[in-house]
Amino acid sequence: MDRDEAREIKGQLADFARDLAAGTEATASAARPVGEGAQVGPADRDAWAPTLALGLAPREGGGYGIAVRYRLGVPAVRSIARRVASEAGPVVDVRRTGRIRALSRSTGTGPRPPVVTALAAGETGRVRPLRPGVSIAHVDVTAGTLGAFVLVGDTLHALSNYHVLAGSPRAQVGDAVVQPGPADGGRAPADQVGTLAATVPLAPGRTATVDAAIALLDDPDVELDYPVGRITTTAVALGGETVGKIGRTTAVTAGRVTALELDDVVVGYGEDLGALRFDDQIEVESTGTGPFSRGGDSGSLVYRADGVALGLLFAGSETGGENGTGLTYVNPIDTVLAALDARLAR
């Protein structure tokens, strides 16, 4: 199938899956006991959040199939995934994922802590001048990754995730951003490198497309190069690309784009935001022996082998993928930059 045909079928399957899910939840609701203790808590709401994601899967030899992703350990969703896959026919790529979480957290109660400093392979120390891949965070967040330098107008900013540079709805423009992140010993004012300048807000009950924020830098003297050289251009993911990233936790890793235009990707953000749904996401699996990303790699720029940016890393699962080390989820970079009215620094 070409991309347009695959999109049409994906839309039809999404309607089919929603009908199946509605019937399943109605049956489960009717079976719940009434009375004391029958209230639905956060764990129940998370279990019944949409856990079946549909997208496009690149096929060997060209064209696309349908990507079906479902959460391991939720029997009702597994049943729905099987029926959707059967409806899709032979052009389907079905994968199980673990629970998908944002890859850093606030110092309160967040989704997944970063890997401890001593076990991280990337840049967890104090680095001046700043460069891509180093530990960075809001003063009340543990640690994430500085993904890129961008210009808003003619002013230089650092790009990372909302949950790295802001952390929660309580964050305000002007809050301190430190390098390294607090989990790696960064403190304000000694390690402050800038202030929170803008976010793309995240909110419960609202479908998102990006998890992104920027920090206004105190010192514009930075290093712009990545392991593949300077990255100044962007592209739309087509599927199957060999990609890389440099992050605070796993440093330089390689992967492959295994799905795109994934809708209903549900990501856990902890108590502040709960489980949020994302549409139009990119999926990457590792092509090495270890994971493509781990906790603390949030905010990394994902780029092609030829040095063209494809996306901003923000979430992952601990299981799934060809080597079983998890799947990584990425916002399309053009969507990120447009939402922040920014462009890559040259």
Side-chain angles (χ1 to χ4, degrees), residues 139 208 286 311:
V139 71
S286 172

Side-chain angles (χ1 to χ4, degrees), residues 91-113:
V91 293
V92 68
D93 173 27
V94 182
R95 297 184 183 216
R96 299 176 299 177
T97 72
R99 193 180 296 268
I100 300 169
R101 297 183 177 94
L103 295 182
S104 80
R105 70 173 185 176
S106 68
T107 51
T109 53
R112 184 193 296 176

Side-chain angles (χ1 to χ4, degrees), residues 19-290:
D19 290 343
L20 293 175
T24 301
E25 185 168 0
T27 300
S29 297
R32 289 187 187 116
V34 177
E36 186 176 355
Q39 291 87 354
V40 179
D44 299 306
R45 285 195 297 270
D46 189 40
W48 280 107
T51 49
L52 182 73
L54 296 176
L56 309 186
R59 306 194 73 194
E60 288 187 19
Y64 296 91
I66 304 301
V68 177
R69 304 292 185 262
Y70 69 96
R71 185 192 295 175
L72 185 66
V74 184
V77 177
R78 182 173 66 244
S79 174
I80 292 171
R82 287 174 176 169
R83 293 187 64 180
V84 170
S86 176
E87 191 76 11
V91 293
V92 68
D93 173 27
V94 182
R95 297 184 183 216
R96 299 176 299 177
T97 72
R99 193 180 296 268
I100 300 169
R101 297 183 177 94
L103 295 182
S104 80
R105 70 173 185 176
S106 68
T107 51
T109 53
R112 184 193 296 176
V115 172
V116 295
T117 305
L119 299 179
E123 298 261 25
T124 58
R126 193 175 193 272
V127 177
R128 303 292 185 276
L130 295 177
R131 59 176 175 260
V134 302
S135 170
I136 197 169
H138 183 282
V139 71
D140 292 328
V141 173
T142 51
T145 297
L146 194 165
F149 297 104
V150 299
L151 294 170
V152 177
D154 294 323
T155 306
L156 191 70
H157 293 72
L159 171 67
S160 189
N161 293 139
Y162 171 96
H163 73 269
V164 172
L165 296 182
S168 80
R170 295 183 298 277
Q172 296 182 356
V173 169
D175 286 354
V177 171
V178 295
Q179 194 294 312
D184 298 319
R187 300 291 182 268
D191 299 303
Q192 180 172 324
V193 292
T195 54
L196 180 63
T199 68
V200 182
L202 298 175
R206 187 170 68 190
T207 300
T209 54
V210 301
D211 176 341
I214 51 175
L216 175 64
L217 295 175
D218 295 338
D219 184 353
D221 180 22
V222 300
E223 293 182 4
L224 297 174
D225 288 347
Y226 292 79
V228 292
R230 192 158 297 187
I231 296 175
T232 60
T233 59
T234 67
V236 174
L238 300 177
E241 295 95 338
T242 297
V243 295
K245 73 101 185 64
I246 179 167
R248 170 260 179 207
T249 300
T250 55
V252 179
T253 55
R256 183 176 69 91
V257 175
T258 46
L260 55 140
E261 298 185 22
L262 276 167
D263 294 337
D264 289 330
V265 178
V266 175
V267 180
Y269 278 83
E271 290 184 4
D272 279 336
L273 293 169
L276 302 183
R277 185 176 71 178
F278 286 78
D279 283 353
D280 193 28
Q281 300 303 297
I282 301 166
E283 178 188 88
V284 174
E285 71 174 11
S286 172
T287 53
T289 57

Side-chain angles (χ1 to χ4, degrees), residues 3 231-239 241 243 257 260 280 282 301-312 330-337 344:
R3 198 161 181 165
I231 296 175
T232 60
T233 59
T234 67
V236 174
L238 300 177
E241 295 95 338
V243 295
V257 175
L260 55 140
D280 193 28
I282 301 166
L301 189 71
V302 175
Y303 45 80
R304 291 191 323 216
D306 60 356
V308 174
L310 292 184
L312 189 69
V330 179
N331 306 148
I333 189 62
D334 287 334
T335 308
V336 169
L337 296 175
L344 293 177

